[in-house]
Amino acid sequence: MTKLGLPDGIQACLFDLDGVITKTAVVHAAAWKQTFDDFLRQRDGDGYRPFDEVSDYDEYVDGRPRADGVRTFLGSRGIQLPEGDPDDPPDRGTVHGLGNRKNALLLELIRTRGVEAYDGTIRYVEAARAEGLRTAVVSSSANCRDVLKSIGAEHLFDVRIDGVVAAQRHLPGKPRPDTFLAAAQDLGVEAKAAAVFEDALAGMDAGRSGHFGYVVGVDRVGQADALRAHGADIVVRDLAELGEPGERP
Ligand SMILES: [Mg+2]
């Protein structure tokens, strides 16, 4: 193991954004909850079964592209909506309409609350770069660039594969490994020489099926067992724990 807590031979680190670099996973969960609860209340009346911000979010939404999140969660409730168009207004009862409603709520929450970085991650990325490793951000978010800019961290990543780039290149999102594989390729390393850092179960699945050299599960909400079951090689609560064996939980 290197002093970064990674196996020898790792040359690149691929970081998820929301929940790994920034404290925005909870903001996404809140925006999804409001979107789905409004939809379900309208559909089923006051006896509706609310969206669970932890279990439903982890299982069906977190890490996936926006439209996939809508389809996957509603599918879990036996609901199928028409696809609609990507520019559907937020009040339209389509997959894209609900996705756009969620994004409008998310941007509003980000505007009012601001975005905070995880200091442990920023320090880890800086340390990795100082050791000569290459770095990428791999996110399903279409807002990735603005979020990175807002915390002044754009310069810390050699490559950015986000929702915008994935759409341009027609890459399927997490849980498929394609966006991580594209990042490794852009960095000029093979998957087995790259480490994946993810907080989402869909991200673990992508790390495992892409045969990456190391998959680090970042547990922010007490789901360590689920992260392991989905393929994490190690689970930490903060990247500061890596490379400091005495302090591992
Ligand atoms: Mg995430």
Side-chain angles (χ1 to χ4, degrees), residues 23-218:
K23 300 179 185 178
T24 37
V26 285
V27 188
H28 280 272
W32 280 117
K33 179 165 177 60
Q34 194 175 333
T35 301
F36 285 133
D37 283 359
D38 287 349
F39 171 81
L40 292 167
R41 191 185 295 112
Q42 215 167 31
R43 183 178 182 272
D44 302 336
D46 284 341
Y48 79 101
R49 191 171 127 222
F51 175 81
D52 188 296
E53 259 172 295
V54 177
S55 59
D56 286 332
Y57 180 67
D58 289 345
E59 193 74 30
Y60 306 119
V61 180
D62 189 15
R64 299 175 196 265
R66 205 180 297 153
D68 292 349
V70 175
R71 283 186 215 102
T72 310
F73 169 68
L74 292 182
S76 79
R77 299 287 179 93
I79 302 169
Q80 204 181 355
L81 288 184
E83 283 295 298
D85 291 311
D87 55 357
D88 271 358
D91 57 354
R92 193 158 294 171
T94 60
V95 168
H96 288 293
L98 254 68
N100 290 339
R101 167 98 180 122
K102 180 264 175 176
N103 195 46
L105 289 168
L106 175 81
L107 295 179
E108 180 60 28
L109 287 170
I110 285 178
R111 248 195 310 276
T112 52
R113 295 186 192 179
V115 173
E116 266 185 274
Y118 284 105
D119 293 336
T121 300
I122 299 298
R123 281 196 298 270
Y124 189 87
V125 178
E126 288 169 344
R129 294 176 67 83
E131 289 294 307
L133 274 72
R134 309 210 65 205
T135 54
V137 57
V138 181
S139 170
S140 297
S141 176
N143 305 304
C144 178
R145 190 174 195 175
D146 287 340
V147 168
L148 279 184
K149 254 189 208 164
S150 75
I151 58 163
E154 246 190 323
H155 65 289
L156 291 176
F157 303 95
D158 303 306
V159 160
R160 172 175 47 86
I161 304 288
D162 61 9
V164 176
V165 176
Q168 283 165 355
R169 297 199 199 171
H170 306 288
L171 299 171
K174 307 164 189 178
R176 293 272 299 275
D178 303 59
T179 50
F180 283 110
L181 291 170
Q185 191 172 23
D186 284 8
L187 290 174
V189 305
E190 289 181 44
K192 66 178 191 310
V196 167
F197 298 77
E198 257 286 354
D199 68 321
L201 303 182
M204 296 293 100
D205 295 337
R208 176 156 61 183
S209 65
H211 304 290
F212 289 91
Y214 205 52
V215 178
V216 178
V218 183

